[in-house]
Amino acid sequence: MKAIEQSCIAIIVFSENYASSQWCLEEVAKIMECKEQTYLTVLPVFYKVDPREVRGGRKSYGKALSKHESKFRKDLEKVKRWKKALFDAGSLSGWHLSDGDESELIQRIVKEISTHLDRSPLHVAKHPVGIDSRVVKLEWMLNLKAQDNVVMVGLWGQGGIGKTTLAKALYNTIFRQFEGSCLLANVREASKDSKGLVLLQEKLLSEILILQQRLEVSSVDKGINLIQHRLRHKKILLILDDVDDLCQLNALASEGKWFGGGSKIIITTRDKHLLTCHGINQDHIYEVKALDDSEAHELLSKHAFPTQPKLEIGTDLVDGVLNLTKGLPLALEKLSRVPNSKINDVLKISYDGLEENEKEIFLDIACFFKGKNSEYVEKVLDSCDLEAIIGLEILMERSLIRIGFTIEMHDLIQFMGMEIVNQECRDDPDKRSRLWRHDDVFNVLSGGVGDCAVKAIVLELPEPTKMCIGLDAFTKMRRLRLLILCNVHDTFQGPLCLPDELRWFEWPGCARGIPEFSSSPKKLVGLDMPKSSIAVVPKQFKVSISLLTELILAWNNITSLPTSINKHGRLSLLHVQSCHQLKEIPELPPLLNFLLADGCESLQKTGGLTSFHNFVPRGLAMANISPPDQQNTGRYMICLPGEEIPRWVLPIEDDSVFFMASKELYGKFLGFVLCAVLNSNRIWLEYFIPSKLWGVVDFGQTDGGYAQFSLRVSGGIVKKWGFRIICKQLEDDLEVVLEDNELIDPALLYEVAHESTDSEA
């Protein structure tokens, strides 16, 4: 029995008197048990006996089994097990010999077994570092013991991360547990040709069925039918490597029911969305991650110094290579020899498969925004007429970026993106879409520019640097949509004029004034010019920049803002912090969400911004209205100079406030107002809609249907604070309930029907 357990092929020779032997019946039962539980291939030979006699218990088999039933009356389960084994084995495809040539049959059997033994392992890698632990995780995910269901698993990760290597190693570990196995390599590349999918279908069928001659498939549809018909009862292992299109999966493994129970289908891809669209749930998607530092160091050493494994390598050299490759196996292999353009070619495959929107976003991140705050990047990209949310999601699914608080990208992927831009025109930066190097930006801005292809310039220098910017440098850049200059001092004394297509403009610290605008409408969405020497905001501001949503002029010398600023219907953020000479804030735009004006000591008029009749209506408006193409923040916040809490806000003596409310009362709440007097004589006043502060409230967890609410303010910068609940007019019976249960201080509630006057400010 041990020999059966250790075998990979079992040949059962059924003869006329086979069933009369208890030992033979025990062996066939053990063989069929191993077939179900492990990787045993079973090949039956029916020697001068009809297969129907074996599986149906007829003639000599029926007589023998009747005798066994009489003998084992007290253990009929044993006989039932034998019968089942005979039925299962007799149902298998094998050889039937009645009166033919026995030697010819033996030759056929030898040839068939040789074919099965030719199913050899695949070459994995010269140095398979870090593979074993990952294979163990995948074996668990595949649930190899489950024999009923077909399991599909996706291996997802960026190019060069080792998906194919891992798939091959997994194949070698488990392929003998299946009746047939096949790895279709480079599906993406192989299916480009018009007959590519047909050839892949032919290879799949030939390898799994172990056919001696090529099986011809006339069309993809015919191939689908053949796969379903020939493989639906076979337990198979199929690996589809480097898939990038659903049509490939639909042609090769559209559904689990195409294959027999216990089959395992493994798909490697760079596109996570492809796997989810194919119906593979998150629990069956394995993200292939980079090698850790110790694994990367080991792999580098084995590739770079194969004959001298104990050679001491300079720490700086090793650290430099490891820092560049970031645990990417392909890069470690190539860079251990010489820098190789093949790395770029492999990584660029993911870029080539992107739509135009995602390509633009990818290049912007590679050239400008790696490591930047993700919310900031999304805002800038949106301003440039790009679909940022969906684009970033797709780049993340394609393993080109990672998104957390910041947007991260592998150094080699970033280099690939920069190289794409450089290859647009190596000799002439005017002909490139993006500029980020000092020399390229200097050449374009200081010289005469004809037809300029530049879409974006982001120059962030480590220290202030002088640069002569030509009078018409920007106006000739008709395609320019993004301009960010940090630590750039313009030595030209004349006015600068921005191009009409510009969407986002940042020039902190060095500008002498806001650039001029032509009379034609501008498309500018964000203007960020803090810590400069700006004294005047141009009067034509309202005419030129009607799309403006963000205006940052903090730490400047402005004395006033134009009254026309309230005409900017889309302006949601105004930042004039520490403009020490600013004397007045005029009427604000209707949809402004955030006003930062602390540190403006000269302010004499604020338009009653902290009064109830000004602040609360704005807060209520923010709860229901958002600027076009912008997400509703559900908040309204201002920060102004001051030391006193407005009289209509209830001062809170402790560092927290606590109350309980019924669902009925909570439904009356319109918003919450939080006010804090901070160090440096600043008042922070903020309005929240209920869902922004406490999210979805469950009123079923406490007796009587009440929910508990609390708010704590802590930190050394808060000198005193207050709180108020803005609510609808309460009915008389609800007011009585409030007085009776004492679960909330009625003073916290401010009904919007109350009269408010300027004296309340």
Side-chain angles (χ1 to χ4, degrees):
M1 295 298 176
K2 187 174 183 182
I4 294 174
E5 292 175 352
Q6 295 175 343
S7 299
C8 59
I9 298 176
I11 300 175
I12 309 172
V13 181
F14 290 111
S15 61
E16 185 177 357
N17 297 319
Y18 185 93
S20 63
S21 169
Q22 297 177 36
W23 179 250
C24 288
L25 292 174
E26 279 296 328
E27 280 191 331
V28 73
K30 181 65 175 180
I31 287 170
M32 298 312 293
E33 179 184 321
C34 288
K35 181 183 183 297
E36 290 298 317
Q37 295 179 355
T38 59
Y39 49 82
L40 187 63
T41 298
V42 180
L43 302 172
V45 177
F46 302 96
Y47 183 74
K48 296 185 178 181
V49 63
D50 193 294
R52 289 174 292 183
E53 295 177 28
V54 177
R55 63 175 175 263
R58 301 178 184 177
K59 295 186 178 180
S60 62
Y61 280 75
K63 293 177 182 179
L65 290 170
S66 295
K67 289 181 180 180
H68 293 312
E69 286 177 338
S70 298
K71 184 177 180 179
F72 297 101
R73 290 176 180 174
K74 295 182 179 180
D75 190 9
L76 289 178
E77 287 301 319
K78 177 183 287 190
V79 181
K80 285 183 180 179
R81 188 165 67 93
W82 292 342
K83 283 184 176 181
K84 184 179 185 306
L86 289 172
F87 176 83
D88 292 340
S91 302
L92 295 175
S93 175
W95 298 274
H96 183 201
L97 179 67
S98 295
D99 299 314
D101 187 343
E102 292 185 9
S103 62
E104 183 182 334
L105 176 62
I106 291 171
Q107 289 298 320
R108 287 166 56 197
I109 293 172
V110 170
K111 190 174 182 180
E112 178 74 13
I113 293 172
S114 298
T115 303
H116 277 275
L117 292 176
D118 283 341
R119 290 174 61 199
S120 56
L122 304 169
H123 171 69
V124 175
K126 188 175 182 180
H127 304 295
V129 174
I131 293 294
D132 292 344
S133 61
R134 292 165 170 82
V135 168
V136 170
K137 291 180 182 177
L138 282 170
E139 286 184 280
W140 175 85
M141 187 178 284
L142 284 169
N143 191 15
L144 294 169
K145 292 183 179 180
Q147 299 300 313
D148 297 329
N149 298 328
V150 176
V151 178
M152 289 194 182
V153 167
L155 272 62
W156 163 60
Q158 68 188 67
I161 200 72
K163 301 182 295 295
T164 302
T165 301
L166 181 55
K168 288 179 178 178
L170 178 63
Y171 177 96
N172 288 349
T173 304
I174 65 175
F175 79 99
R176 294 196 186 279
Q177 303 180 31
F178 299 86
E179 296 176 65
S181 59
C182 174
L183 185 147
L184 295 179
N186 303 315
V187 171
R188 173 187 53 79
E189 193 67 31
S191 60
K192 283 183 177 179
D193 184 81
S194 59
K195 292 187 177 180
L197 285 174
V198 168
L199 294 175
L200 288 171
Q201 289 175 326
E202 289 180 354
K203 183 178 180 182
L204 187 159
L205 288 163
S206 297
E207 290 197 12
I208 289 179
L209 296 173
I210 318 178
L211 302 174
Q212 299 302 310
Q213 293 182 338
R214 175 170 167 253
L215 180 66
E216 290 192 12
V217 177
S218 58
S219 68
V220 171
D221 291 337
K222 181 69 178 297
I224 290 173
N225 287 336
L226 279 171
I227 292 171
Q228 291 177 319
H229 178 68
R230 301 292 294 271
L231 303 183
R232 62 186 174 185
H233 297 303
K234 274 191 173 291
K235 176 186 173 184
I236 68 139
L237 170 64
L238 174 61
I239 296 180
L240 304 176
D241 175 53
D242 195 16
V243 175
D244 72 340
D245 198 304
L246 270 177
C247 70
Q248 298 156 3
L249 294 176
N250 291 336
L252 300 169
S254 181
E255 297 179 273
K257 65 182 181 182
W258 285 15
F259 312 102
S263 295
K264 311 299 177 187
I265 316 299
I266 299 160
I267 302 161
T268 77
T269 183
R270 305 177 186 210
D271 187 354
K272 184 180 180 182
H273 185 64
L274 183 74
L275 299 173
T276 56
C277 285
H278 195 55
I280 300 176
N281 61 44
Q282 189 63 42
D283 293 339
H284 286 90
I285 296 177
Y286 180 85
E287 182 181 0
V288 183
K289 297 183 178 179
L291 301 175
D292 62 33
D293 289 345
S294 62
E295 292 169 335
H297 192 288
E298 180 184 352
L299 184 59
L300 175 64
S301 300
K302 288 185 175 181
H303 278 299
F305 307 100
T307 61
Q308 297 171 296
K310 296 184 179 180
L311 181 68
E312 292 291 332
I313 314 169
T315 303
D316 292 344
L317 175 61
V318 173
D319 289 346
V321 174
L322 295 180
N323 185 57
L324 174 62
T325 58
K326 296 288 195 301
L328 199 65
L330 173 68
L332 284 163
E333 179 185 351
K334 300 297 183 183
L335 291 178
S336 65
R337 300 195 294 269
V338 291
N340 198 308
S341 62
K342 289 185 178 179
I343 300 174
N344 252 16
D345 294 340
V346 171
L347 297 176
K348 191 171 178 289
I349 291 169
S350 294
Y351 171 82
D352 291 336
L354 298 173
E355 298 294 333
E356 193 60 31
N357 179 70
E358 286 70 52
K359 284 183 176 180
E360 290 289 306
I361 292 174
F362 171 79
L363 293 179
D364 280 346
I365 294 172
C367 296
F368 309 135
F369 297 131
K370 177 187 171 184
K372 301 288 187 182
N373 177 275
S374 54
E375 289 187 6
Y376 163 77
V377 175
E378 182 182 318
K379 178 171 60 176
V380 174
L381 294 173
D382 275 332
S383 76
C384 295
D385 263 358
L386 297 170
E387 297 290 338
I389 294 177
I390 188 171
L392 291 172
E393 182 68 25
I394 289 172
L395 293 182
M396 190 164 59
E397 289 174 344
R398 300 288 177 91
S399 303
L400 290 169
I401 62 172
R402 288 182 178 275
I403 301 178
F405 178 73
T406 59
I407 293 183
E408 298 301 332
M409 174 183 284
H410 195 286
D411 289 349
L412 291 174
I413 293 179
Q414 181 187 29
F415 177 78
M416 177 265 290
M418 290 177 164
E419 192 61 15
I420 289 172
V421 174
N422 287 332
Q423 288 177 1
E424 292 171 353
C425 187
R426 289 198 175 275
D427 299 329
D428 189 355
D430 294 346
K431 301 296 189 293
R432 293 183 215 142
S433 60
R434 293 159 179 83
L435 303 177
W436 62 91
R437 297 189 188 93
H438 174 272
D439 291 348
D440 293 337
V441 175
F442 176 80
N443 290 336
V444 171
L445 294 185
S446 60
V449 180
D451 185 22
C452 184
V454 178
K455 296 179 181 178
I457 297 175
V458 177
L459 181 60
E460 297 177 304
L461 300 176
E463 55 186 28
T465 303
K466 292 182 178 180
M467 182 180 293
C468 182
I469 300 176
L471 176 62
D472 297 323
F474 297 120
T475 53
K476 292 184 178 181
M477 295 183 184
R478 294 184 177 89
R479 299 177 181 86
L480 190 68
R481 54 178 171 76
L482 172 63
L483 177 58
I484 299 176
L485 302 173
C486 295
N487 275 329
V488 176
H489 283 276
D490 177 23
T491 60
F492 183 73
Q493 298 301 313
L496 295 176
C497 195
L498 297 176
D500 292 344
E501 294 298 317
L502 189 66
R503 292 307 192 103
W504 191 270
F505 178 41
E506 294 181 30
W507 196 354
C510 301
R512 299 185 315 276
I514 297 177
E516 292 186 357
F517 299 91
S518 62
S519 57
S520 60
K522 297 287 181 180
K523 296 183 178 180
L524 198 66
V525 173
L527 179 63
D528 188 346
M529 301 183 70
K531 299 181 180 179
S532 299
S533 303
I534 299 172
V536 178
V537 179
K539 290 184 178 180
Q540 80 272 32
F541 212 61
K542 65 169 184 175
V543 178
S544 304
I545 343 177
S546 59
L547 301 179
L548 194 68
T549 63
E550 182 169 312
L551 177 60
I552 299 179
L553 297 173
W555 292 283
N556 272 294
N557 299 324
I558 56 176
T559 58
S560 64
L561 294 169
T563 55
S564 60
I565 199 168
N566 70 331
K567 305 297 183 184
H568 288 270
R570 297 180 179 230
L571 189 64
S572 61
L573 184 146
L574 176 59
H575 190 175
V576 290
Q577 179 185 29
S578 296
C579 289
H580 303 295
Q581 300 179 47
L582 183 65
K583 297 179 180 179
E584 182 178 355
I585 295 179
E587 183 181 350
L588 296 175
L591 300 180
L592 192 78
N593 290 105
F594 299 97
L595 169 65
L596 297 177
D598 52 307
C600 300
E601 299 93 345
S602 302
L603 267 182
Q604 298 171 0
K605 295 182 180 180
T606 61
L609 290 173
T610 61
S611 68
F612 178 88
H613 78 274
N614 190 315
F615 184 83
V616 172
R618 279 185 171 275
L620 291 170
M622 289 305 105
N624 300 303
I625 304 173
S626 61
D629 306 321
Q630 292 187 36
Q631 184 179 1
N632 189 341
T633 64
R635 299 169 62 188
Y636 171 53
M637 184 275 294
I638 62 175
C639 189
L640 296 167
E643 299 180 80
E644 297 298 329
I645 296 175
R647 290 173 55 191
W648 58 273
V649 178
L650 184 69
I652 305 297
E653 299 299 328
D654 300 324
D655 61 356
S656 63
V657 63
F658 167 88
F659 61 92
M660 296 186 72
S662 64
K663 186 174 183 179
E664 182 184 5
L665 177 59
Y666 189 80
K668 297 286 186 179
F669 293 172
L670 298 171
F672 304 99
V673 176
L674 174 66
C675 180
V677 177
L678 310 176
N679 291 340
S680 304
N681 299 328
R682 293 174 291 164
I683 297 177
W684 186 284
L685 194 58
E686 190 158 4
Y687 181 101
F688 301 88
I689 62 174
S691 61
K692 287 293 180 180
L693 200 55
W694 278 296
V696 178
V697 180
D698 184 1
F699 289 91
Q701 293 185 348
T702 58
D703 294 337
Y706 285 85
Q708 179 178 303
F709 302 88
S710 63
L711 182 67
R712 177 181 295 273
V713 175
S714 59
I717 65 170
V718 179
K719 297 166 72 173
K720 51 187 175 181
W721 73 290
F723 181 73
R724 205 68 189 264
I725 301 171
I726 309 301
C727 64
K728 299 176 184 177
Q729 183 74 46
L730 302 180
E731 292 83 0
D732 293 340
D733 56 345
L734 189 56
E735 289 185 341
V736 171
V737 171
L738 291 179
E739 292 176 1
D740 290 344
N741 62 29
E742 298 181 351
L743 296 177
I744 186 172
D745 182 355
L748 286 174
L749 303 176
Y750 199 129
E751 300 174 55
V752 291
H754 286 184
E755 294 295 330
S756 61
T757 64
D758 290 336
S759 64
E760 290 176 307

